Amino acid sequence: MTQSRSLAVPFAVCWAAVALFAVMDAMMKGLSLSIGLFNALFWRALTGSLLGLALMLITRRRWPERAVLRLHLLRGSVVALMASLFFWALMRMPLAEAIALSFIAPLIALYLAALLLGERIERAAVAASLLGLAGVGVILSGRMQGSYDWDALLGAGAVLLSAVLFAWNLIIQRQQAQLASPVEVAFFQHLVMFGLFGLCFLVARLLPGVALLRLDMPQAHAWLLIATAAALAFTSLAAFAWAYARAEAQYLIPVEYTAFIWAAIIGWLAFGERVTFSTIAGAVLIVAGCLIAARIRRPIEMHEGIA
């Protein structure tokens, strides 16, 4: 009874953090469709950087050492490409379907951990991976029935590529968590993304005849969404950090999969998206594979998300 009570608050905080991230993903999808993908990413990164700078000053965080800065730069670069692929995909497919496919990331992280950290892969982890791949196949098969929706299939491919980067991000996160505070991590993640997207716009502007990337000043209503999305990202990160500091990951990891439910609800309300049976079935298989993998070794935390 005492343990249940001690887990109730972290469980609720983690549940709320997942919901906030789902709302943020939906906001970024709407922004990407209205002002363009890279404009949405650039201005949110700028807003997040300013918010992070304010928090760094308030909490009087010291400037990190060079080795930690290199880690921040690496992770920020990975997240920038990961977020670009994921939100590009969201512009082409339902929110719930993209979230379901992204759940494959912890399984990919098992193999990256073996490759990069020398960890041993259990047989059960291989079986869990096969179950997750079966789930991906079920979701993609739903896309290939009847008339081929090539745009959505490209989106699904982009989600899977972003999941590979997300898995690498999880590995870096495990190293980073030992060296920096959540505020510092969030600040430098946004700052590196802001710098990279700004550099992309600058290069595109300098190259003659290239109009692929154009930086536009958002209108007032877009600024509200940008600021809200940045605030939601920081709030959810802080909530996750608080919850995982007070409860073991094995109890909280299953809560993270409620993101699919939130994505289905928000996608239906905001964009009129319908969740197919193949998406639900595939999500169940992928989540089952992740939960099997989580039971055989220390779970890999997912809580810093695609964004």
Side-chain angles (χ1 to χ4, degrees):
M1 180 67 71
T2 303
Q3 184 182 20
S4 298
R5 288 180 179 176
S6 64
L7 290 174
V9 176
F11 186 93
V13 171
C14 186
W15 178 82
V18 172
L20 291 178
F21 245 122
V23 174
M24 188 270 295
D25 283 340
M27 285 186 170
M28 287 300 295
K29 175 171 182 171
L31 279 169
S32 299
L33 290 170
S34 62
I35 67 175
L37 172 62
F38 285 99
N39 272 283
L41 288 169
F42 175 85
W43 293 114
R44 199 204 73 169
L46 172 60
T47 306
S49 298
L50 294 175
L51 177 59
L53 178 60
L55 292 174
M56 288 280 286
L57 293 174
I58 291 172
T59 56
R60 296 182 179 181
R61 298 290 175 182
R62 293 182 178 180
W63 193 258
E65 297 178 357
R66 184 175 300 179
V68 181
L69 276 175
R70 285 198 295 267
L71 200 59
H72 288 324
L73 180 60
L74 174 60
R75 189 176 181 212
S77 302
V78 171
V79 172
L81 182 55
M82 177 186 73
S84 299
L85 287 168
F86 183 74
F87 291 121
W88 185 85
L90 282 188
M91 297 170 67
R92 289 159 175 80
M93 63 190 306
L95 186 63
E97 191 171 318
I99 293 293
L101 286 173
S102 72
F103 285 161
I104 198 71
L107 298 178
I108 299 174
L110 292 174
Y111 293 92
L112 284 181
L115 179 64
L116 300 176
L117 303 178
E119 295 186 1
R120 180 171 169 268
I121 300 178
E122 306 285 348
R123 287 186 178 181
V126 176
S129 301
L130 293 175
L131 193 61
L133 287 175
V136 171
V138 169
I139 294 174
L140 294 181
S141 68
R143 276 286 165 198
M144 300 179 69
Q145 293 175 0
S147 60
Y148 287 84
D149 190 345
W150 287 112
D151 207 35
L153 282 176
L154 288 174
V159 171
L160 293 177
L161 285 176
S162 74
V164 174
L165 292 170
F166 186 25
W168 187 13
N169 164 67
L170 291 174
I171 302 300
I172 303 172
Q173 172 185 306
R174 294 171 64 181
Q175 300 169 308
Q176 199 178 31
Q178 300 173 359
L179 302 172
S181 68
V183 171
E184 180 183 316
V185 168
F187 167 60
F188 278 99
Q189 179 173 306
H190 283 84
L191 184 63
V192 172
M193 291 176 68
F194 168 66
L196 289 175
F197 292 135
L199 181 61
C200 288
F201 282 120
L202 180 61
V203 171
R205 186 177 182 85
L206 293 176
L207 291 176
V210 177
L212 179 62
L213 300 178
R214 191 182 70 181
L215 186 59
D216 297 317
M217 182 63 67
Q219 297 180 356
H221 71 281
W223 272 117
L224 179 60
L225 288 176
I226 291 168
T228 304
L232 286 175
F234 263 90
T235 304
S236 56
L237 284 172
F240 276 127
W242 188 93
Y244 276 84
R246 288 160 176 80
E248 293 183 13
Q250 61 179 314
Y251 298 111
L252 297 180
I253 284 291
V255 183
E256 308 232 14
Y257 295 110
T258 60
F260 178 79
I261 299 174
W262 287 112
I265 294 172
I266 297 170
W268 174 61
L269 291 175
F271 305 105
E273 297 170 347
R274 184 174 61 90
V275 181
T276 64
F277 175 77
S278 61
T279 300
I280 296 174
V284 169
L285 289 173
I286 294 172
V287 170
C290 291
L291 293 178
I292 291 172
R295 289 179 64 86
I296 61 177
R297 59 171 65 223
R298 181 183 180 274
I300 299 175
E301 290 88 345
M302 297 169 55
H303 54 271
E304 293 202 19
I306 287 287

